[in-house]
Amino acid sequence: MWRRVASLSPLVSSSKSRILNQVGCGLNACQVFTTRVLNPAEGGVSDRRRNPFVTFVLGGPGSGKGTQCTKIVETFGLTHLSAGDLLRKEISSNSENGSMILNTIKEGKIVPSEVTVKLIKKAIETSENDRFLIDGFPRSEENRIAYERVIGAEPDIVLFFDCPEQEMVKRVLNRNQGRIDDNIDTVKERLKVFAELNLPVIKHYSKKGKLYKIDGTGSEDEIFERVRPVFAALR
Ligand SMILES: Nc1ncnc2c1ncn2[C@@H]1O[C@H](COP(=O)(O)OP(=O)(O)O)[C@@H](O)[C@H]1O
Ligand SMILES: Nc1ccn([C@@H]2O[C@H](COP(=O)(O)OP(=O)(O)O)[C@@H](O)[C@H]2O)c(=O)n1
Ligand SMILES: [Mg+2]
């Protein structure tokens, strides 16, 4: 089990993006992690996975969340749970919510928390691992509150990849993975939704001292060297 109380050096590189200014996170202090308290009324995750180590990975569309998660998995062995991938699997498995999820993703809006939290909970419970990267979640205060109620715990840490909008748009439009939402209209809407609904979540975790804001510009390897010390300090 990884340490839950750790003292880390300042890790956050600066960026002058609009998002950073909006969030205004004071991130130079050492981070102190607290052991989470499970909520017995909700049951939390099943017994075997009662107390997993959870990192939320946040950032706008195309900020590099998935790319960096892959590198974190390779180096540190966490299990990567992408909320978007879980939702896309629901669409392809023809579940009862498939068409609602597809339309929501096309429009760049947020799927109701009840649906997404259920998928995340199941993925945690069926995993052999006890350390998770939850990528692209929570995307709204509603997502965050639903997760904390159903799982009965807060995340241990939160990574936020801070990237200028212009760069995010460029990356999304070049992503080339055949995604229905990788078009200019949807990405514009997603940027609005990010600013309105996701930045408040980032602010929340910043206030709680759990946020690591990472400069999301530069090469994939350069960005990973900013991420590496966060996890290296926990081993
Ligand atoms: N540092 C980077 N520089 C240039 N392109 C990148 C970088 N990181 C990721 N990409 C590319 O940008 C696109 C979006 O990255 P991705 O990891 O899918 O972002 P997110 O999950 O935040 O939407 C992908 O095609 C990826 O290969
Ligand atoms: N917590 C989440 C995560 C994704 N989604 C939906 O899935 C879409 C794609 O999410 P994603 O995380 O795969 O997208 P990227 O940020 O990786 O481009 C979002 O725009 C939402 O429509 C959601 O509704 N709720
Ligand atoms: Mg992604």
Side-chain angles (χ1 to χ4, degrees):
M1 178 64 76
W2 276 6
R3 285 187 289 150
R4 284 227 156 72
V5 178
S7 186
L8 305 181
S9 332
L11 298 166
V12 180
S13 43
S14 66
S15 156
K16 296 206 165 35
S17 79
R18 188 174 64 78
I19 287 167
L20 185 153
N21 293 333
Q22 278 180 5
V23 174
C25 316
L27 284 163
N28 288 327
C30 289
Q31 308 280 318
V32 176
F33 307 142
T34 49
T35 306
R36 283 115 8 101
V37 177
L38 294 169
N39 175 359
E42 292 286 343
V45 294
S46 72
D47 280 346
R48 198 163 57 86
R49 297 279 168 261
R50 276 194 74 77
N51 204 15
F53 182 96
V54 170
T55 300
F56 285 160
V57 181
L58 302 180
S63 59
K65 301 179 294 297
T67 303
Q68 293 302 318
C69 282
T70 301
K71 291 178 175 291
I72 297 166
V73 168
E74 283 165 7
T75 308
F76 295 104
L78 288 84
T79 290
H80 178 202
L81 302 179
S82 156
D85 285 351
L86 291 170
L87 291 167
R88 283 183 285 272
K89 264 188 222 145
E90 279 294 283
I91 298 171
S92 41
S93 70
N94 292 319
S95 80
E96 54 170 333
N97 289 317
S99 60
M100 177 276 289
I101 296 172
L102 176 65
N103 289 330
T104 309
I105 288 180
K106 256 191 223 165
E107 287 171 11
K109 308 274 200 235
I110 311 285
V111 172
S113 301
E114 181 198 334
V115 173
T116 316
V117 170
K118 210 168 162 186
L119 295 173
I120 291 171
K121 183 171 189 267
K122 191 171 165 204
I124 291 174
E125 287 178 348
T126 54
S127 170
E128 287 302 311
N129 205 342
D130 63 356
R131 293 175 288 152
F132 298 93
L133 295 168
I134 304 187
D135 162 10
F137 183 94
R139 275 207 149 95
S140 63
E141 282 287 277
E142 194 219 353
N143 267 185
R144 177 182 73 73
I145 290 161
Y147 175 94
E148 291 178 2
R149 189 182 67 244
V150 172
I151 304 293
E154 291 186 10
D156 292 276
I157 60 173
V158 179
L159 301 185
F160 164 40
F161 290 100
D162 183 36
C163 193
E165 285 193 358
Q166 215 185 346
E167 175 67 16
M168 293 196 279
V169 171
K170 195 172 91 186
R171 290 183 192 172
V172 164
L173 296 182
N174 288 325
R175 182 151 44 189
N176 221 6
Q177 290 174 0
R179 276 176 52 171
I180 191 124
D181 51 347
D182 283 352
N183 61 73
I184 189 64
D185 291 337
T186 309
V187 81
K188 277 187 183 164
E189 179 60 26
R190 293 191 63 199
L191 288 170
K192 266 196 235 160
V193 168
F194 175 72
E196 280 168 27
L197 301 182
N198 211 342
L199 285 180
V201 175
I202 290 164
K203 273 188 189 160
H204 171 86
Y205 288 122
S206 172
K207 280 189 201 141
K208 294 208 126 194
K210 293 191 174 191
L211 192 79
Y212 289 89
K213 181 160 54 185
I214 312 282
D215 179 353
T217 63
S219 72
E220 294 175 12
D221 288 345
E222 281 166 348
I223 298 166
F224 184 63
E225 289 313 314
R226 299 171 192 141
V227 171
R228 187 194 295 278
V230 175
F231 294 95
L234 294 165
R235 286 220 268 215

